[in-house]
Amino acid sequence: YLATLANALNDAGVKVIYKEPGIPTSGLEPFAADNDLRIVELDTLEGFSAGSYDEIMIRNAKIIQENQH
């Protein structure tokens, strides 16, 4: 299954895996390293970051934009 996922990510040109705050990266790190992927935190739960909903969504948008290369 991981080989199929790796092939699909490679075919799609994916370079980043987004994770939620509080989720350990230990399970993702070997897969990311083997497939030249970066792991970036994105607050989709809005429960771990300070700020209003709007501020968190703007911060998330900036994180996505900064990691699209």
Side-chain angles (χ1 to χ4, degrees):
Y1 296 110
L2 289 179
T4 301
L5 176 59
N7 288 335
L9 294 174
N10 186 49
D11 290 348
V14 173
K15 299 292 181 192
V16 179
I17 297 174
Y18 294 99
K19 72 165 216 69
E20 295 177 348
I23 304 295
T25 59
S26 58
L28 291 173
E29 288 170 356
F31 180 80
D34 289 347
N35 293 284
D36 196 28
L37 299 167
R38 292 185 317 277
I39 301 171
V40 176
E41 187 168 279
L42 191 65
D43 188 358
T44 58
L45 298 177
E46 300 90 38
F48 293 96
S49 294
S52 69
Y53 177 81
D54 293 343
E55 291 169 334
I56 294 167
M57 291 300 106
I58 290 169
R59 185 174 26 222
N60 283 344
K62 288 178 182 177
I63 291 169
I64 292 169
Q65 182 182 31
E66 290 167 358
N67 286 282
Q68 286 191 346
H69 337 16

